Amino acid sequence: MNKRLLESKMKLHGDTNASLAEAIGLSPQSLSSKKNGTNGKEFGTSEILCIKERYSLTAEEINDIFFAC
């Protein structure tokens, strides 16, 4: 997970943790846990798809954000 890249997309679109969390159906705490990988938390497919649509992400951007090693 490339937290910095996701946060740059959020800022580019004027989102905060709270606004993105609400848009994808999470609490701000859950979003933060998933961004930080706390307790093994990861974004699910439906959450990734919502973020993809919200930010018009390409397949490459999806890979760079969510599947970076």
Side-chain angles (χ1 to χ4, degrees):
M1 164 84 208
N2 186 332
K3 178 182 169 181
R4 287 185 180 163
L5 186 53
L6 177 57
E7 289 176 342
S8 72
K9 294 294 182 183
M10 289 170 63
K11 287 180 184 178
L12 183 65
H13 290 85
D15 266 337
T16 62
N17 271 357
S19 62
L20 179 58
E22 182 178 342
I24 63 174
L26 296 174
S27 69
Q29 295 83 5
S30 291
L31 176 65
S32 180
S33 292
K34 290 179 183 217
K35 283 172 47 182
N36 293 311
T38 307
N39 298 323
K41 301 280 185 183
E42 295 181 347
F43 286 96
T45 304
S46 63
E47 296 157 347
I48 292 171
L49 288 174
C50 287
I51 293 169
K52 175 189 181 288
E53 290 176 14
R54 186 170 182 87
Y55 300 146
S56 300
L57 299 175
T58 65
E60 184 176 351
E61 289 172 318
I62 293 292
N63 285 335
D64 291 346
I65 293 170
F66 297 103
F67 303 107
C69 295

